[in-house]
Amino acid sequence: MRLVGILGGMGPEATVLLMRKVIALRAGGDDADHVPLLVHQNPQVPSRIAALIEGTGESPAQVLAEMARVLEAGGAEALAMPCNTAHAYGDAVRAAAQIPFLDMIALSTAALAAKGRRIGMLASPAVHRARVFHAAFAKAGLVMVLPDEAPLLDLIRTVKSGRTGAAEGAALTRLAEGLRAQGADHIAVACTELSLLTPHLPQGLPWTDTLDCLAGAIVQFSLTGDLHAASD
Amino acid sequence: MRLVGILGGMGPEATVLLMRKVIALRAGGDDADHVPLLVHQNPQVPSRIAALIEGTGESPAQVLAEMARVLEAGGAEALAMPCNTAHAYGDAVRAAAQIPFLDMIALSTAALAAKGRRIGMLASPAVHRARVFHAAFAKAGLVMVLPDEAPLLDLIRTVKSGRTGAAEGAALTRLAEGLRAQGADHIAVACTELSLLTPHLPQGLPWTDTLDCLAGAIVQFSLTGDLHAASD
């Protein structure tokens, strides 16, 4: 199996959640059936929000490029980054390494285009403001349907603080119903905090989690070397 | 903060559990407050049980040494290995790298010696057969109290298959009560599967989880550079 390098730590829980999804995709066998990863869990990557939204602070690009070089030198045969927002720096990652980059935005957009047309986006406002999905969606002919920002941010903050109970589930249900009312025919879950609440997405409104798209591509690449729509 | 290299994948879930414990020890702040890790999640390390117990198969020593070199070259300033059994190859890890090794066996033994004398061992039989704790316990004056092997192995296999309910909790309670009846005054949980069941350990019988000892040492080293009893 091929070793996949993970540009992680943004945040550290999202990286762990990706690792758990990769493990779950190979459950039921021996240790040796699991996919090998080299994980740079680097919570000190400069703030993507500060750089992209507030226009302050160090750019994450150089740190991400150095992480990519470390992972390639360590034997990784492809790279992946479990953070939607950080994909604003995907070009810096690509430029830093010779190995392919399993682009979560490209992978998720390809998966979404096969399933819907008007995509309700459950993502941090930073993802939209950095226009992370805009070019890929335009190319795929997908329409982006955005939720109310204030209740979405409230919910993300509440989940970050550790609460994932009935009230938070109900808040996610309301957000998703709002997206459906705006014409969304499919939901993109592009936020680790909201990934934890997907059982509360309403019946009859299908959804795709970008982290699942990435986990699937990692397993497929490790087992077969196949990249599909994943890479540049 | 100092980057800590993790020799992982034995099994992959244990590595993820260690990462979650390291995250939990720094909860409540920003991403940047979390400890940076470089994690070699390598489920293809040759079977420790085959090599140590059955005397067959490739030795894990060379693979672990190569992983240690990759982690050191990637910038790790110390190494840690979230697998009790694999510590039978601790010397190979130490020999492969210049950076210190946060030895889970030494760390756990130091913690246990501060709390008990007759230590009930909830560990895989492989840990005992490879005599992983024997020298450290002898030096610390600790007595090892071993459970019945058959029900312990049954329980580990059941938990590995994904069941961690009331029946499994009751099985752990019985095993721990058996150790207490044999005179144990403290329990060492030295098995990731059993770590998931610690809420079922009996009242009034204190316990220490070796993975918690390692997580604490990783955080301490990353923040302060302090090694205490951790290293060679």
Side-chain angles (χ1 to χ4, degrees), chain B residues 83-106:
Chain B
C83 173
N84 289 282
T85 312
H87 277 71
Y89 301 98
D91 287 346
V93 173
R94 283 188 185 82
Q98 304 298 312
I99 52 178
F101 177 52
L102 304 176
D103 184 319
M104 182 159 63
I105 308 307

Side-chain angles (χ1 to χ4, degrees), chain A residues 1 3 9-13 15-16 19-20 23 31-44 48 70-71 74, chain B residues 1 3 9-13 15-16 19-20 23 31-44 48 70-71 74:
Chain A
M1 275 186 271
L3 183 69
M10 304 170 278
E13 297 90 348
T15 299
V16 165
M19 294 173 75
R20 293 172 69 185
I23 289 171
D31 279 1
D33 297 322
H34 284 279
V35 165
L37 304 173
L38 186 58
V39 182
H40 208 317
Q41 173 81 311
N42 184 4
Q44 282 79 43
R48 285 69 64 199
V70 163
L71 295 170
Chain B
M1 275 185 272
L3 183 69
M10 302 171 279
E13 297 90 348
T15 299
V16 165
M19 293 173 76
R20 293 171 69 186
I23 290 171
D31 280 2
D33 297 321
H34 285 279
V35 166
L37 302 174
L38 186 57
V39 182
H40 207 317
Q41 173 82 308
N42 185 4
Q44 282 78 43
R48 285 70 63 198
V70 164
L71 295 171

Side-chain angles (χ1 to χ4, degrees), chain B residues 27-90:
Chain B
D30 284 332
D31 280 2
D33 297 321
H34 285 279
V35 166
L37 302 174
L38 186 57
V39 182
H40 207 317
Q41 173 82 308
N42 185 4
Q44 282 78 43
V45 175
S47 167
R48 285 70 63 198
I49 290 177
L52 289 167
I53 309 303
E54 299 158 13
T56 60
E58 189 188 346
S59 164
Q62 270 192 294
V63 175
L64 292 173
E66 178 55 25
M67 288 161 68
R69 284 188 286 267
V70 164
L71 295 171
E72 183 173 29
E77 297 185 49
L79 296 172
M81 186 158 63
C83 173
N84 289 282
T85 312
H87 277 71
Y89 301 98

Side-chain angles (χ1 to χ4, degrees), chain A:
Chain A
M1 275 186 271
R2 290 158 191 82
L3 183 69
V4 179
I6 308 296
L7 297 118
M10 304 170 278
E13 297 90 348
T15 299
V16 165
L17 185 58
L18 174 72
M19 294 173 75
R20 293 172 69 185
K21 287 177 181 289
V22 168
I23 289 171
L25 286 172
R26 300 286 294 163
D30 286 330
D31 279 1
D33 297 322
H34 284 279
V35 165
L37 304 173
L38 186 58
V39 182
H40 208 317
Q41 173 81 311
N42 184 4
Q44 282 79 43
V45 175
S47 166
R48 285 69 64 199
I49 291 177
L52 290 168
I53 309 303
E54 298 158 13
T56 60
E58 189 188 347
S59 163
Q62 270 192 295
V63 175
L64 293 172
E66 178 56 25
M67 287 162 69
R69 285 189 285 267
V70 163
L71 295 170
E72 183 173 29
E77 297 185 50
L79 296 172
M81 186 158 63
C83 172
N84 290 282
T85 313
H87 277 70
Y89 302 98
D91 286 346
V93 173
R94 284 187 184 83
Q98 305 297 312
I99 52 179
F101 176 53
L102 306 176
D103 185 320
M104 182 160 62
I105 308 306
L107 288 159
S108 304
T109 303
L112 289 164
K115 297 177 188 169
R117 185 63 38 196
R118 292 179 56 83
I119 311 298
M121 298 297 290
L122 291 175
S124 156
V127 169
H128 309 307
R129 298 209 197 148
R131 305 181 64 82
V132 170
F133 281 93
H134 283 56
F137 268 39
K139 201 169 150 191
L142 296 179
V143 175
M144 204 174 279
V145 183
L146 298 180
D148 284 345
E149 219 172 78
L152 179 73
L153 266 176
D154 275 353
L155 178 58
I156 292 175
R157 287 203 189 100
T158 307
V159 176
K160 263 190 202 287
S161 77
R163 295 208 299 278
T164 55
E168 290 72 38
L172 187 75
T173 307
R174 278 194 302 276
L175 281 164
E177 290 293 7
L179 291 166
R180 175 149 59 184
Q182 291 173 258
D185 56 24
H186 197 95
I187 296 288
V189 181
C191 172
T192 317
E193 277 73 30
L194 304 181
S195 291
L196 302 172
L197 294 174
T198 48
H200 297 279
L201 286 169
Q203 290 287 317
L205 183 56
W207 55 272
T208 298
D209 188 326
T210 62
L211 211 54
D212 288 325
C213 297
L214 186 60
I218 288 168
V219 171
Q220 179 181 293
F221 174 81
S222 184
L223 297 179
T224 68
D226 194 352
L227 290 169
H228 277 325
S231 178
D232 59 337

